[in-house]
Amino acid sequence: MAVAVAVAVAAAAARVWGSSRGLGQAGLLLRRSAARGLARSLPQRQEQQHFPSLDDKPQFPGASAEFIDKLEFIQPNVISGIPVYRVMDRQGQIINPSEDPHLPQEKVLKLYRSMTLLNTMDRILYESQRQGRISFYMTNYGEEGTHVGSAAALDNTDLVFGQYREAGVLMYRDYPLELFMAQCYGNVSDLGKGRQMPVHYGCRERHFVTISSPLATQIPQAVGAAYAAKRANANRVVICYFGEGAASEGDAHAGFNFAATLECPIIFFCRNNGYAISTPTSEQYRGDGIAARGPGYGILSIRVDGNDVFAVYNATKEARRRAVAENQPFLIEAMTYRIGHHSTSDDSSAYRSVDEVNYWDKQDHPISRLRHYLQSRGWWDDEQEKAWRKQSRKKVMEAFEQAERKPKPSPSLLFSDVYQEMPAQLRKQQEALARHLQTYGEHYPLDHFEK
Amino acid sequence: MAAVCGLMRRPLEQVTVRDAINQGMDEELERDEKVFLLGEEVAQYDGAYKVSRGLWKKYGDKRIIDTPISEMGFAGIAVGAAMAGLRPICEFMTFNFSMQAIDQVINSAAKTYYMSGGIQPVPVVFRGPNGASAGVAAQHSQCFAAWYGHCPGLKVVSPWNSEDAKGLIKSAIRDNNPVVVLENELMYGVPFELPSEAQSKDFLIPIGKAKIERQGTHITVVAHSRPVGHCLEAATVLSKEGIECEVINMRTIRPMDIETIEASVMKTNHLVTVEGGWPQFGVGAEVCARIMEGPAFNFLDAPAVRVTGADVPMPYAKILEDNSIPQVKDIIFAIKKTLNI
């Protein structure tokens, strides 16, 4: 019906203006309708020019697709969007046995212990901020599954660019409690020499790039690093973590686009935890989350249940295999929930209900789901749970007490690492400080600092 | 061009600033395969200002990369690639557009080595034309020497002639710190004699060292980039009146070689600074402040004077634009005023 109307309109136009283009349009439409067997119902038109068959397919350099003669806007599908891949249900039972990664007991226990140790450390360090012992902290409650599930699927040498809520990746890579604490306390053992706010970890040995505060800046950087890995033929993937809020930044757009055009072996891992400080996802975006953006850039994308460690593991594992083999980016959007506050500077009861938080804590938590799985396999029980809780708390408390007792880094480090080689005027200032402290040191709390 | 074709170089060959930069990059790309160039139009188009002419043809897609239009994107990519061990040269079509990437340059490139406690170096070079051009209006004419010179963690160089351009780009690429190379579009086409040392593939100009382009006794005139040429012209004019100017080409903005300037002021007792950028918080302001803080202050016979761009967004109308940047007559005027002539 619409075709007949369109043809009539075009024919009318042709009559009014008599332009060959008008006729041409009518001619095209007629040919189309002929293909659908409607030609007989349409009035005869004048002889048309014959266009070469190439003209039937769009030749635009910018896109390859068919023509369509029906006006139709593509509907963003937010009601039934991209489905959420999961392996376990909320009770830790495998839903589809063919998706079970069949991880050995040791590995699953390592996943569990990493998540729970992180959880314990989070509790203690959060409290320590409340007590004025450290200046700031960010917990990972509820998102532990996204960290360890993905970390377990990578090689130890794969490069990690995080945002700030990925401590579980380091935990899985056996970053010692001592060093977590050292960074939060800024003590002499801190690899970062006390130069950053707490939770801004960095570890060269474990291929974890130092956390940087401005959001999403790590996204194009990760792409650049992936490009370097591709150049080096290193059999190495770069994984880049970010939240659904950070994905709104311009850097994210640029990073996704470049990863696709430069064909880089990178996994974009979005932790969609429902909130960016107080901004809920309903105000952060109107599309179907972050996974739906991937195809817009030409990136293979998937949405997974972030609280299901095995789903996260499976998706990351496959993404890694293909990213390296095919030199192309992958986008994984892990749906989860931020059970804790954004940070110690936030009180989330101001913008969400305690009931909502409790629901996720009690009904859908990555740690309890994995525990159910472990218990149903006979690999864990209540006694072991009790013992491990006691042991992990003890470990954390010991590291914590040690961290408090350690001195701060030496004041002479005030001047280093601005450049690779210390410039003359900084060296002069460093020497002037040393001389000053020699004479007046007693007036300063020097015993809190390393010499 | 001789550089790209690799013809035998004669001593004292005339090479434009553009070709000098091209030669410098070409030599460093050849020397170290971790070096690569990325930016808009740098590959098949040979560069928006043709500075990368011939490089894509010689080194191909892997080393010379055209990027989509996102300064924040490709600056971030460059930073990430540097973090992962490559040595990128990130070209901004002009430094005006670097403002769209300023977070990547300052918060990531400049500060990361310090903030990571020395774990994470970022050996990236940001280069491109800086400062006034001709008839491109305010959004294409800003000088960023003071902006970037302000930040610890960055090195900032500002070449004037071909020798400067070649030696400094090579030093910048070999430097393990993030380096900002402020070129000048109006200088790209200007030929200079390249002395024979500058034709060696290991010719480097040290970052952090100024050069005395012209010896003098009556007054020290300090400039960077294109104004150095104007100062030398002014010096030639004034020489006929018996005034001998010592013209210092800063070459590096940060770390600033204040010692060379101090030694000169201690000799001449007078100081004029010249720059294309705006006066407030500018390069000249920094030079004057440091002179006051150091031994040279006691040798000044008159207050130091700055000659700068006019404190307005660059006008478009030619007559206004011409009068918004320091001209030779402005430099002569400032010198005579300082000398009380």
Side-chain angles (χ1 to χ4, degrees):
Chain A
M1 195 54 210
V3 174
V5 170
V7 169
V9 167
R15 260 200 306 262
V16 170
W17 291 297
S19 71
S20 59
R21 193 181 293 157
L23 274 175
Q25 288 263 57
L28 267 171
L29 289 168
L30 273 175
R31 277 210 297 285
R32 238 163 231 282
S33 58
R36 294 178 202 174
L38 294 172
R40 269 172 265 111
S41 62
L42 297 164
Q44 279 301 105
R45 291 290 148 220
Q46 291 169 340
E47 271 295 277
Q48 271 72 249
Q49 293 169 265
H50 278 288
F51 294 87
S53 59
L54 268 175
D55 209 40
D56 270 338
K57 183 125 172 65
Q59 299 295 315
F60 303 116
S64 69
E66 293 294 320
F67 276 119
I68 186 174
D69 53 26
K70 183 162 173 241
L71 176 67
E72 199 179 307
F73 287 98
I74 297 173
Q75 176 94 307
N77 197 349
V78 292
I79 309 299
S80 54
I82 295 173
V84 183
Y85 170 72
R86 67 172 179 171
V87 175
M88 282 191 285
D89 62 22
R90 294 207 177 101
Q91 287 71 45
Q93 300 310 303
I94 302 286
I95 298 165
N96 180 353
S98 64
E99 295 295 312
D100 186 345
H102 296 294
L103 293 178
Q105 179 176 4
E106 259 327 292
K107 186 147 182 165
V108 185
L109 282 173
K110 184 175 163 118
L111 288 169
Y112 186 73
R113 288 197 185 106
S114 302
M115 290 199 286
T116 46
L117 187 59
L118 174 62
N119 192 279
T120 306
M121 183 180 83
D122 273 352
R123 284 171 206 284
I124 288 171
L125 284 175
Y126 185 89
E127 277 314 303
S128 80
Q129 191 277 342
R130 283 301 185 239
Q131 294 167 12
R133 295 166 190 265
I134 59 176
S135 66
F136 175 83
Y137 193 70
M138 298 176 103
T139 57
N140 301 274
Y141 302 147
E143 301 185 49
E144 299 90 344
T146 60
H147 307 173
V148 309
S150 51
L154 301 169
D155 283 8
N156 278 335
T157 51
D158 288 335
L159 192 56
V160 176
F161 281 80
Q163 181 164 305
Y164 50 58
R165 221 184 288 280
E166 294 88 13
V169 175
L170 270 173
M171 192 65 92
Y172 187 85
R173 285 189 176 179
D174 301 312
Y175 194 61
L177 289 171
E178 182 203 343
L179 289 182
F180 278 113
M181 306 275 178
Q183 198 282 327
C184 290
Y185 274 91
N187 69 27
V188 71
S189 301
D190 178 24
L191 298 178
K193 295 175 187 155
R195 299 217 178 105
Q196 290 244 38
M197 296 168 68
V199 310
H200 287 63
Y201 311 113
C203 181
R204 200 170 187 77
E205 204 185 302
R206 289 169 181 82
H207 310 282
F208 190 95
V209 178
T210 306
I211 299 296
S212 169
S213 301
L215 286 184
T217 52
Q218 76 275 15
I219 301 180
Q221 291 168 12
V223 176
Y227 181 77
K230 179 170 92 153
R231 281 274 317 269
N233 262 322
N235 182 21
R236 196 184 194 202
V237 88
V238 173
I239 188 164
C240 181
Y241 296 89
F242 51 94
E244 85 286 349
S248 295
E249 285 274 1
D251 271 344
H253 159 73
F256 295 155
N257 196 26
F258 278 87
T261 57
L262 289 178
E263 295 170 357
C264 298
I266 181 167
I267 300 173
F268 292 114
F269 194 104
C270 176
R271 291 176 294 95
N272 187 330
N273 62 14
Y275 289 91
I277 309 188
S278 70
T279 306
T281 52
S282 56
E283 285 172 33
Q284 191 66 245
Y285 52 75
R286 282 298 142 81
D288 179 21
I290 314 309
R293 298 181 197 171
Y297 295 100
I299 298 177
L300 282 154
S301 313
I302 189 170
R303 170 173 286 152
V304 304
D305 178 347
N307 292 350
D308 174 349
V309 185
F310 294 141
V312 173
Y313 176 85
N314 282 352
T316 310
K317 190 112 188 123
E318 177 66 0
R320 191 212 181 270
R321 184 186 70 79
R322 290 187 64 182
V324 171
E326 298 162 29
N327 274 326
Q328 64 168 318
F330 281 79
L331 171 60
I332 299 174
E333 183 184 19
M335 309 307 292
T336 178
Y337 187 84
R338 194 196 76 207
I339 290 175
H341 306 301
H342 166 70
S343 71
T344 48
S345 310
D346 175 43
D347 174 11
S348 60
S349 65
Y351 52 83
R352 61 182 182 178
S353 72
V354 175
D355 289 337
E356 180 186 299
V357 178
N358 277 333
Y359 168 82
W360 288 95
D361 195 24
K362 303 281 180 290
Q363 309 292 343
D364 192 342
H365 198 293
I367 291 176
S368 27
R369 282 167 79 175
L370 189 63
R371 186 171 57 248
H372 292 317
Y373 173 86
L374 282 169
Q375 285 171 330
S376 70
R377 295 289 306 254
W379 289 349
W380 196 254
D381 58 35
D382 286 340
E383 243 185 67
Q384 284 172 291
E385 175 72 17
K386 228 169 124 191
W388 169 243
R389 281 199 194 187
K390 205 166 157 210
Q391 186 194 6
S392 53
R393 191 183 158 78
K394 184 161 177 285
K395 274 166 59 149
V396 172
M397 289 307 298
E398 271 169 10
F400 169 78
E401 277 149 24
Q402 290 237 358
E404 288 229 312
R405 279 198 293 265
K406 285 190 186 168
K408 304 292 183 217
S410 160
S412 68
L413 289 176
L414 248 178
F415 307 96
S416 59
D417 309 313
V418 182
Y419 299 99
Q420 290 239 320
E421 54 314 294
M422 193 182 292
Q425 96 266 27
L426 281 183
R427 187 169 300 287
K428 277 197 280 217
Q429 293 179 39
Q430 187 184 49
E431 286 159 9
L433 177 65
R435 284 194 302 274
H436 178 84
L437 288 177
Q438 250 179 356
T439 317
Y440 300 105
E442 70 206 66
H443 300 281
Y444 295 90
L446 283 179
D447 30 297
H448 293 272
F449 294 83
E450 209 199 22
K451 294 291 154 268
Chain B
M1 280 318 299
V4 175
C5 304
L7 289 175
M8 195 179 72
R9 295 172 189 154
R10 300 174 298 279
L12 301 183
E13 186 188 10
Q14 290 265 325
V15 176
T16 61
V17 171
R18 169 186 289 116
D19 290 334
I21 301 169
N22 185 289
Q23 278 181 31
M25 289 199 289
D26 192 356
E27 286 169 13
E28 294 306 303
L29 282 158
E30 198 179 283
R31 176 181 174 269
D32 182 353
E33 58 156 27
K34 296 199 290 294
V35 176
F36 71 102
L37 172 67
L38 83 167
E40 294 154 358
E41 310 297 329
V42 297
Q44 198 172 3
Y45 195 72
D46 278 338
Y49 297 100
K50 307 301 175 203
V51 180
S52 56
R53 181 167 43 206
L55 296 180
W56 176 73
K57 222 164 157 197
K58 184 171 173 185
Y59 294 101
D61 284 333
K62 269 176 86 168
R63 310 285 299 284
I64 312 291
I65 303 175
D66 270 343
T67 64
I69 306 177
S70 172
E71 280 72 14
M72 116 177 12
F74 63 75
I77 301 243
V79 168
M83 287 177 172
L86 292 182
R87 303 190 74 89
I89 307 167
C90 174
E91 176 178 304
F92 291 118
M93 200 178 283
T94 80
F95 268 97
N96 298 277
F97 310 144
S98 73
M99 287 198 282
Q100 295 183 284
I102 200 80
D103 183 276
Q104 292 288 354
V105 178
I106 307 298
N107 271 335
S108 289
K111 296 179 186 172
T112 292
Y113 191 62
Y114 183 79
M115 290 182 81
S116 70
I119 297 177
Q120 184 59 74
V122 187
V124 60
V125 171
F126 297 105
R127 54 158 289 273
N130 175 62
S133 180
V136 290
Q139 293 166 341
H140 293 81
S141 306
Q142 187 170 331
C143 175
F144 287 85
W147 274 43
Y148 289 121
H150 189 58
C151 302
L154 282 182
K155 293 192 181 178
V156 182
V157 299
S158 182
W160 164 56
N161 62 8
S162 300
E163 187 189 334
D164 289 355
K166 185 170 179 188
L168 287 173
I169 189 73
K170 285 166 74 76
S171 294
I173 293 169
R174 294 191 196 189
D175 199 306
N176 288 327
N177 298 287
V179 183
V180 169
V181 181
L182 302 170
E183 300 159 6
N184 186 295
E185 201 242 315
L186 295 173
M187 295 303 294
Y188 279 153
V190 180
F192 291 90
E193 275 175 0
L194 256 194
S196 45
E197 326 78 82
Q199 292 166 40
S200 147
K201 287 196 175 169
D202 281 313
F203 169 67
L204 300 172
I205 287 183
I207 296 178
K209 207 82 197 68
K211 182 180 179 202
I212 300 176
E213 295 287 349
R214 184 190 192 280
Q215 303 261 13
T217 47
H218 296 118
I219 183 164
T220 301
V221 184
V222 179
H224 72 96
S225 188
R226 187 160 174 263
V228 173
H230 297 326
C231 293
L232 288 170
E233 268 185 64
T236 306
V237 170
L238 287 166
S239 180
K240 299 197 189 80
E241 299 177 38
I243 302 168
E244 294 304 326
C245 303
E246 181 145 292
V247 177
I248 298 181
N249 173 4
M250 289 178 70
R251 285 179 161 179
T252 300
I253 306 293
R254 177 185 259 269
M256 192 183 287
D257 180 6
I258 199 65
E259 285 82 13
T260 299
I261 302 173
E262 279 172 339
S264 175
V265 170
M266 279 156 46
K267 184 175 77 170
T268 67
N269 312 122
H270 297 86
L271 174 61
V272 165
T273 69
V274 184
E275 69 199 284
W278 293 316
Q280 266 193 268
F281 309 100
V283 175
E286 179 65 16
V287 171
C288 292
R290 291 210 204 182
I291 290 294
M292 281 207 287
E293 290 164 357
F297 172 72
N298 294 309
F299 291 76
L300 280 173
D301 285 349
V305 161
R306 300 173 290 166
V307 180
T308 71
D311 197 22
V312 290
M314 182 65 75
Y316 173 72
K318 186 164 195 329
I319 184 79
L320 293 178
E321 182 183 55
D322 287 345
N323 283 285
S324 298
I325 50 168
Q327 301 178 54
V328 176
K329 63 173 171 66
D330 301 313
I331 302 171
I332 292 173
F333 181 82
I335 290 171
K336 286 189 168 175
K337 190 163 167 212
T338 309
L339 291 171
N340 206 15
I341 296 169

